[in-house]
Amino acid sequence: MTWHLVPSPAHGKVIGCKWVYNLKLKAGSSIDRYKACLVAKAHPFIWSSFAIKDLGPLHYFLGIKVHHSASGLHLSQHKYITNSLARTSMTDSKPFHSPMASGYSLSLHDGTPLEDGTAYRSVVGALQYCTLIRPDISFTMNKVDQFMHSPSDVHWQAVKHILHYLKGTSHYGLSIQATPDYNLTCFTNVNYASSLDDHQSTSSYFVFMGSNIISWYSTKQKLAVANGATKLSWIGSLFRELNIATNSIPYLYFGNISANYMIANPIFQWSNKAHRD
């Protein structure tokens, strides 16, 4: 490519540009190709040079249906879930009332390994998108996601259990109500040493702004209280940048049932020491 330097136009404005270089890597971390992109600096006059069409109120976006009401918004993924059930031939399946059986734990050594785990990884990856507005399956999806590298028939049955649950709750969604209450509250919980393979814990947090849940997360072996406090701090910083004032300091709640069990029962103390060792 050849470049020619020319004088800037007398009645025009010069837009600054910057080259951004990147590497595209192969699966084995070797270089596949070199990539370069020329990025133009944003300038106020650009917005007046291009017409922007107002598409009106949002009703459907990236598989999420938005229902408007006098009280606020309701987000649902009924069509996305229906399509997921059709791809797995579970359109006529029986609906379940919970995403996972109570007290049931999965292990890497459960069942017989699948000959081809492609379908497992594809379905689990697709269902991860549902967690954007479905915190009720966040914990269960974290569990089945841990066996993506080596799924078994038992793990696949757990995924189908989630699909049975979504079959009966496809109309569920996330309600966002208009409210002047911008106060933040975070609830955290830990499923202590729940992993049968490495005895690691699963922690979760849920952040509310007033009565609206705005953030949630479930992950393995992280400090739930620390994660919740970090998220509260980040959201508080974002509110300050947007000039949104809160009426009180954020509240952080944590479940300490596991700690109470260890204090009350010496057997739990010994088990905790064995897990640490």
Side-chain angles (χ1 to χ4, degrees):
M1 182 180 295
T2 303
W3 299 92
H4 299 282
L5 296 178
V6 297
S8 60
H11 302 289
K13 294 184 178 181
V14 178
I15 301 178
C17 299
K18 180 182 292 185
W19 280 103
V20 178
Y21 300 95
N22 195 9
L23 296 177
K24 183 177 180 180
L25 304 179
K26 297 180 181 179
S29 299
S30 60
I31 298 177
D32 182 23
R33 69 182 66 175
Y34 297 92
K35 302 177 67 176
C37 180
L38 183 62
V39 181
K41 181 180 179 181
H43 201 278
F45 84 92
I46 295 179
W47 307 115
S48 61
S49 303
F50 298 93
I52 299 177
K53 184 178 181 180
D54 185 0
L55 300 178
L58 178 64
H59 293 286
Y60 197 83
F61 181 72
L62 296 179
I64 299 176
K65 183 179 180 180
V66 182
H67 175 72
H68 299 259
S69 66
S71 60
L73 303 175
H74 180 76
L75 311 181
S76 67
Q77 294 174 305
H78 174 75
K79 183 177 180 181
Y80 182 85
I81 293 174
T82 301
N83 292 339
S84 298
L85 292 171
R87 287 196 299 268
T88 53
S89 302
M90 295 186 61
T91 302
D92 299 323
S93 60
K94 179 181 177 181
F96 288 174
H97 298 292
S98 63
M100 178 177 279
S102 177
Y104 185 69
S105 298
L106 294 172
S107 171
L108 183 62
H109 307 290
D110 287 340
T112 303
L114 299 177
E115 294 184 2
D116 185 4
T118 303
Y120 181 93
R121 287 184 282 269
S122 176
V123 174
V124 172
L127 292 182
Q128 284 286 1
Y129 188 68
C130 293
T131 61
L132 287 177
I133 62 171
R134 294 290 298 267
D136 54 328
I137 65 171
S138 180
F139 177 82
T140 310
M141 287 304 305
N142 172 268
K143 292 298 184 182
V144 297
D145 188 54
Q146 297 175 19
F147 310 105
M148 296 280 273
H149 63 290
S150 181
S152 69
D153 56 342
V154 174
H155 305 146
W156 176 240
Q157 290 300 318
V159 173
K160 293 180 68 175
H161 192 116
I162 300 174
L163 289 168
H164 280 284
Y165 172 71
L166 293 176
K167 165 69 176 181
T169 60
S170 61
H171 60 288
Y172 283 14
L174 185 66
S175 294
I176 303 176
Q177 300 179 350
T179 174
D181 184 3
Y182 297 114
N183 295 325
L184 299 175
T185 306
C186 179
F187 299 89
T188 67
N189 188 34
V190 177
N191 191 8
Y192 176 74
S194 59
S195 174
L196 299 178
D197 300 312
D198 52 20
H199 305 294
Q200 293 186 355
S201 305
T202 300
S203 61
S204 306
Y205 68 74
F206 302 87
V207 180
F208 288 80
M209 183 184 70
S211 60
N212 297 317
I213 184 170
I214 59 175
S215 181
W216 55 90
Y217 191 62
S218 180
T219 186
K220 189 177 180 181
Q221 197 63 12
K222 286 189 177 181
L223 300 177
V225 177
N227 280 353
T230 301
K231 178 59 68 170
L232 282 177
S233 177
W234 184 87
I235 296 177
S237 177
L238 177 63
F239 278 12
R240 288 189 293 272
E241 290 184 12
L242 299 176
N243 295 322
I244 298 177
T246 58
N247 299 326
S248 66
I249 62 173
Y251 285 89
L252 177 64
Y253 297 92
F254 62 95
N256 58 353
I257 297 179
S258 299
N260 291 336
Y261 284 167
M262 285 189 291
I263 294 174
N265 194 331
I267 296 179
F268 284 104
Q269 297 179 19
W270 177 87
S271 177
N272 182 37
K273 181 179 183 301
H275 290 163
R276 292 198 306 267
D277 294 343

